């Protein structure tokens, strides 16, 4: 694991955007794994600027998002589908056919998850996966539990996550109780992983991740087995 400690959010976002752009410049048809949440918003803003300045071209890129609430309509402004269009996809030239997000409107969640997992595999896996981290150490929507799932699956959300994410909804009661998410193995099969964390509220989860101990009670610690993980965080997430 490589740890990069940044002075602030902007520096973290810039470093992450440069890694994504380099990945695409090295492999124009790269397969990207993308994350939502407030943490990667700055990175997406910089990537849009880089695209406008012709420093990166998304025309051959394929994307797979980590997760989506379930059930949720794509037109709901809190859906991750809506988030990705708002912050990235509607500003760059990635073809719509190359964009993949678990379908929060699917009638059969199990079938949707199985097809999603197979589609990632059919592309030869993810070249670069961007991750945020939950305050409780979740990655994607793999929540702390006695056991974790390997593949893309439907999962319930913990009270901690519902409460943390309720800031985006009218009330905690409006946060969907379930989600579709890549599993731990789906994520670990990515060739390169970049995890972003910012602010004191992530300190506990980051400390557990970098302690090197692995526990399903802090899913991010599973990343310790990955060969090519870069954690980019600000001082507050690192030092507390
Ligand atoms: C959500 C997402 C995660 C994300 C996490 C942190 O629950 N499912 O993929 O990493 O929250 O979000 P934020 O960056 O807003 O703190």
């Amino acid at each position: 694991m490589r740890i990069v400690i940044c002075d602030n959010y902007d520096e973290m976002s810039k470093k992450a955007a440069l890694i994504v752009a380099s990945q695409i410049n090295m492999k124009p048809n790269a397969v990207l794994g993308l994350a939502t949440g407030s943490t990667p918003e700055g990175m997406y803003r910089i990537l849009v600027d880089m695209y406008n300045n012709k420093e990166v071209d998304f025309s051959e890129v394929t994307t797979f998002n980590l997760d989506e609430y379930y059930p949720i309509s794509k037109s709901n402004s809190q859906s991750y589908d809506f988030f990705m269009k708002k912050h990235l996809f509607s500003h760059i030239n990635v073809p719509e056919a190359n964009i993949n997000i678990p379908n929060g409107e699917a009638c059969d969640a199990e079938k949707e998850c199985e097809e999603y997992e197979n589609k990632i595999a059919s592309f030869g896996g993810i070249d670069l996966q961007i991750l945020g981290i939950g305050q409780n150490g979740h990655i994607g929507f793999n929540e702390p539990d006695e056991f974790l799932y390997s593949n893309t699956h439907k999962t319930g959300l913990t009270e901690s996550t519902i409460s943390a994410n309720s800031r985006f909804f009218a009330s905690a009661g409006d946060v969907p109780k379930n989600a579709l998410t890549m599993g731990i193995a789906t994520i670990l099969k990515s060739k390169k992983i970049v995890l972003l964390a910012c602010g004191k509220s992530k300190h506990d989860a980051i400390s557990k991740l970098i302690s090197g101990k692995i526990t399903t009670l802090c899913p991010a610690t599973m990343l310790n087995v990955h060969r090519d993980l870069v954690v980019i965080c600000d001082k507050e997430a690192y030092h507390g």
Side-chain angles (χ1 to χ4, degrees):
M1 179 191 317
R2 228 175 86 69
I3 304 170
V4 181
I5 305 162
C6 300
D7 280 340
N8 51 44
Y9 179 76
D10 288 346
E11 190 188 336
M12 178 200 76
S13 305
K14 184 91 202 261
K15 286 205 157 73
L18 287 175
I19 293 174
V20 175
S22 304
Q23 170 68 62
I24 299 169
N25 287 328
M26 282 190 299
K27 185 181 175 194
N29 64 346
V31 180
L32 301 181
L34 297 177
T36 50
S38 49
T39 311
E41 280 181 22
M43 175 191 80
Y44 291 141
R45 237 183 342 262
I46 295 167
L47 282 170
V48 170
D49 287 346
M50 292 179 83
Y51 166 71
N52 288 330
N53 293 334
K54 301 199 182 336
E55 292 167 63
V56 62
D57 170 23
F58 293 84
S59 61
E60 292 176 50
V61 166
T62 295
T63 66
F64 284 93
N65 263 75
L66 269 173
D67 50 12
E68 176 60 285
Y69 290 112
Y70 188 82
I72 198 162
S73 134
K74 290 180 205 251
S75 59
N76 184 321
S77 62
Q78 298 313 322
S79 75
Y80 288 166
D81 199 282
F82 194 98
F83 174 103
M84 289 308 298
K85 283 188 186 119
K86 178 174 170 200
H87 293 283
L88 186 68
F89 297 147
S90 57
H91 309 288
I92 60 171
N93 65 340
V94 63
E96 209 170 323
N98 295 10
I99 295 172
N100 299 281
I101 302 178
N103 184 3
E105 295 178 352
C107 307
D108 185 340
E110 260 178 39
K111 186 163 168 267
E112 169 65 17
C113 291
E114 199 184 323
E115 287 174 2
Y116 200 73
E117 186 75 23
N118 292 340
K119 192 162 183 191
I120 295 172
S122 77
F123 275 82
I126 289 165
D127 292 306
L128 171 62
Q129 175 69 56
I130 302 295
L131 292 179
I133 186 168
Q135 291 173 17
N136 62 5
H138 73 231
I139 47 175
F141 270 129
N142 293 278
E143 296 276 35
D145 207 339
E146 204 183 315
F147 55 84
L148 300 173
Y149 286 87
S150 302
N151 295 340
T152 305
H153 61 284
K154 179 180 158 199
T155 183
L157 302 185
T158 59
E159 282 308 320
S160 149
T161 298
I162 290 174
S163 134
N165 291 7
S166 64
R167 68 191 195 275
F168 301 114
F169 290 82
S171 75
D174 291 326
V175 183
K177 304 283 176 289
N178 296 289
L180 308 180
T181 180
M182 286 185 195
I184 295 293
T186 328
I187 294 170
L188 286 175
K189 280 185 228 162
S190 309
K191 294 174 188 108
K192 184 174 198 69
I193 300 178
V194 172
L195 182 141
L196 306 177
C198 195
K200 274 194 187 0
S201 68
K202 302 295 172 72
H203 174 63
D204 191 42
I206 289 294
S207 302
K208 287 182 177 143
L209 164 62
I210 64 186
S211 74
K213 293 182 197 152
I214 294 175
T215 166
T216 59
L217 299 178
C218 180
T221 61
M222 305 293 288
L223 299 172
N224 276 287
V225 305
H226 197 272
R227 283 165 186 267
D228 195 353
L229 167 68
V230 184
V231 175
I232 308 181
C233 59
D234 71 347
K235 288 181 190 157
E236 292 191 329
Y238 187 78
H239 296 293

